[in-house]
Amino acid sequence: MKLAFHGAAGDVTGSCHLVESLGKRILIDCGMRQGSRELDDENAEPFGFDVSSIDFVLLTHAHLDHTGRLPLLFKRGFRGEVISTRATFDLARLVILDVAHLHEETASRGVSAASERNGSQAKPPLFSLVDATNSLGLFGRAALYKQTIEIAPGIRATFYDAGHILGSASILLELNEPAGAVTVLISGDIGNAGRPLLRSPETPSSAKFVVMESTYGDRLHRPFSESVAEFYEAVVAAIAGGGNVLIPTFALDRAQEILYFLRQGVDEGKLPPALPIFVDSPMAVSATEIYQHHPEAYNAEAAEFFARGKDPFQTPGLRLVRDRADSVRINDVKGGAVIMAGSGMCTGGRILHHLRHNIGRENASVIFVGYAAAGTLARRIIDGARHVNLFGDDILVRARIHTINGFSAHADQKELVEWQRSVAGKQQTFLVHGEPPVTLPTLHQVFELK
Ligand code: ZN
């Protein structure tokens, strides 16, 4: 069999791995490169293989850096079958349609700006909403955890819970090659064990070859429970001070995890029973709805809670806000509320309006619960910026700023090593989805494995 890495090979985005065996070509993930304008531009480059010859795409999970180029794959001729868990399909549909919208919008704005300037054409969108919709039409069989699917004669795939986001999986391929069976395990993104809501990552007992993510291969996380306690303390202090609490959040997974903590905090009496909580993000509202539809993907504690007829994300004071007018109305709330909105790194989205109305107030708080890349507004605020510019207004930062670092959806170094050690019979392990020196680039390199 042949194995080649056409993305996330020496960096952490654009996952796209090609397995060739028994005359079939199987792509594991088809993600988008993200993080800078240069990386955005690289998405339009050739994939590095003949797109129309791909027979199957198996998706490990719905994050954009694992699914985002599926519409482009369709646009360039892929007509095979896409296989994922049901939850991944539901979330991927949301993610893919959202990114297609964004690309069309950005392109049409670019075209009108360029034609106003000099009559020239700006870049066309990477793909259209129609490409996105058509690529969603290629989803075929749904995978259940630990239930083997014969995807083609002699080729079997088994999905194991990766504990990263709802529906996430590590995928074991068993290839009955003429010279003997070969097994390859592709990790996808590996979750942080012991989180609430999701199960801890699982692995098959053995695999000959392992392809493993290594995002935090050089770091250890703080214990989860410490971060949760710190989170409650920050919310309670902020509410006691009379101000609002802003939580910039990623719409997918982090928002649902925070809702889960808030609900647990209210249930356990650590937070006020009627605490007003606004989720001001259509994408986060939809993602939460999808999480509510997939109790089969919860861990035992959350599943038991759900089985008692309770919603793990629901608190008495929760308001889910899609409508823009309702979003604007939140500006009238001067204190005592938790406001969650995107984007997580404050690079755009409704959080900017809430920052404009609150960050200059001494009694307000901003709690960062996710990664903030260099150069983003979130990073500048975390690093102690005295002033921020929001919609042309220069605002003095008076709100209290908290950063809670332990809420990672990725395994840390210790967990990655444990995950890898739990798989017996390994001949070789390939590290992907990491940056040097954790992982060295192997982009488009083909490995012949027996
Ligand atoms: Zn991911």
Side-chain angles (χ1 to χ4, degrees):
M1 75 118 165
K2 286 184 191 166
L3 175 65
F5 306 108
H6 296 289
D11 63 73
V12 295
T13 63
S15 282
C16 187
H17 314 312
L18 179 60
V19 172
E20 291 186 61
S21 174
L22 298 164
K24 297 290 179 197
R25 308 185 92 200
I26 305 152
L27 211 56
I28 312 291
D29 289 339
C30 191
M32 195 165 261
R33 298 174 64 86
Q34 292 172 276
S36 68
R37 186 173 286 254
E38 292 72 37
L39 288 173
D40 280 352
D41 289 345
E42 283 177 28
N43 285 312
E45 287 175 8
F47 279 96
F49 50 82
D50 173 13
V51 171
S52 61
S53 73
I54 300 295
D55 299 285
F56 299 98
V57 176
L58 309 187
L59 294 181
T60 61
H61 66 290
H63 272 150
L64 195 60
D65 63 323
H66 293 257
T67 59
R69 279 192 296 168
L70 208 54
L72 185 66
L73 200 72
F74 175 88
K75 184 180 173 179
R76 294 188 180 167
F78 168 64
R79 295 295 183 271
E81 181 185 4
V82 183
I83 301 174
S84 73
T85 62
R86 196 73 217 172
T88 292
F89 170 63
D90 286 352
L91 289 173
R93 183 165 46 185
L94 184 69
V95 167
I96 285 172
L97 292 177
D98 180 70
V99 75
H101 248 295
L102 199 75
H103 273 269
E104 284 202 347
E105 242 174 51
T106 312
S108 68
R109 267 207 309 274
V111 168
S112 52
S115 52
E116 270 170 34
R117 269 200 307 277
N118 52 16
S120 67
Q121 289 286 302
K123 271 189 307 183
L126 190 61
F127 46 77
S128 67
L129 204 48
V130 171
D131 295 321
T133 311
N134 284 332
S135 71
L136 293 171
L138 299 177
F139 277 77
R141 286 167 283 180
L144 295 171
Y145 290 128
K146 292 198 267 196
Q147 305 243 336
T148 301
I149 305 174
E150 181 156 45
I151 63 169
I155 302 177
R156 307 201 304 161
T158 313
F159 288 56
Y160 290 85
D161 197 335
H164 171 61
I165 64 168
L166 192 86
S168 65
S170 300
I171 302 173
L172 178 72
L173 285 175
E174 295 170 80
L175 312 161
N176 280 329
E177 300 232 315
V182 176
T183 48
V184 54
L185 173 66
I186 296 112
S187 72
D189 287 357
I190 301 168
N192 187 352
R195 284 156 77 205
L197 193 59
L198 299 177
R199 288 186 284 262
S200 295
E202 291 182 331
T203 50
S205 55
S206 72
K208 197 165 183 182
F209 300 102
V210 174
V211 176
M212 186 173 102
E213 72 118 323
S214 55
T215 317
Y216 290 121
D218 58 350
R219 255 173 283 177
L220 294 170
H221 297 322
R222 297 176 55 196
F224 222 84
S225 53
E226 281 179 22
S227 300
V228 178
E230 196 187 332
F231 174 69
Y232 289 148
E233 269 170 38
V235 174
V236 167
I239 300 293
N244 286 325
V245 185
L246 306 190
I247 309 178
T249 29
F250 298 102
L252 181 49
D253 195 62
R254 188 54 42 82
Q256 289 73 42
E257 200 165 69
I258 295 296
L259 279 178
Y260 189 88
F261 292 139
L262 289 169
R263 194 272 308 154
Q264 215 168 29
V266 168
D267 279 0
E268 291 170 4
K270 292 174 182 158
L271 298 174
L275 178 67
I277 301 166
F278 294 94
V279 177
D280 186 19
S281 154
M283 176 93 167
V285 172
S286 295
T288 305
E289 213 174 294
I290 293 169
Y291 268 67
Q292 286 164 329
H293 288 165
H294 288 283
E296 80 284 358
Y298 301 166
N299 64 19
E301 189 197 333
E304 194 261 337
F305 188 80
F306 187 86
R308 279 191 277 132
K310 294 185 171 184
D311 180 341
F313 308 103
Q314 188 70 43
T315 50
L318 180 64
R319 305 275 178 279
L320 301 175
V321 181
R322 286 184 193 271
D323 196 70
R324 189 167 289 276
D326 292 338
S327 169
V328 172
R329 260 193 287 277
I330 302 174
N331 296 335
D332 299 336
V333 181
K334 302 292 181 226
V338 173
I339 304 168
M340 296 164 60
S343 73
M345 297 195 210
C346 306
T347 48
R350 294 181 178 178
I351 192 67
L352 298 183
H353 294 276
H354 300 302
L355 285 169
R356 182 196 202 179
H357 283 89
N358 289 280
I359 202 165
R361 293 182 184 154
E362 240 163 32
N363 61 0
S365 296
V366 186
I367 307 180
F368 291 97
V369 291
Y371 177 71
T376 59
L377 178 59
R379 174 48 51 198
R380 288 205 298 282
I381 298 171
I382 290 168
D383 287 346
R386 296 300 304 140
H387 295 258
V388 289
N389 193 293
L390 290 157
F391 305 100
D393 293 341
D394 184 62
I395 303 172
L396 182 65
V397 177
R398 288 203 187 89
R400 277 202 287 182
I401 310 298
H402 302 265
T403 316
I404 296 177
N405 283 319
F407 292 155
S408 180
H410 282 274
D412 67 3
Q413 185 186 55
K414 184 168 166 281
E415 290 168 318
L416 286 171
V417 170
E418 281 167 9
W419 185 94
Q420 198 259 4
R421 284 192 180 148
S422 72
V423 184
K426 295 177 298 287
Q427 217 167 71
Q428 203 172 344
T429 298
F430 297 86
L431 294 183
V432 293
H433 207 287
E435 285 168 348
V438 173
T439 309
L440 297 173
T442 49
L443 195 65
H444 304 312
Q445 205 172 322
V446 181
F447 297 86
E448 301 237 17
L449 308 172
K450 285 192 195 106

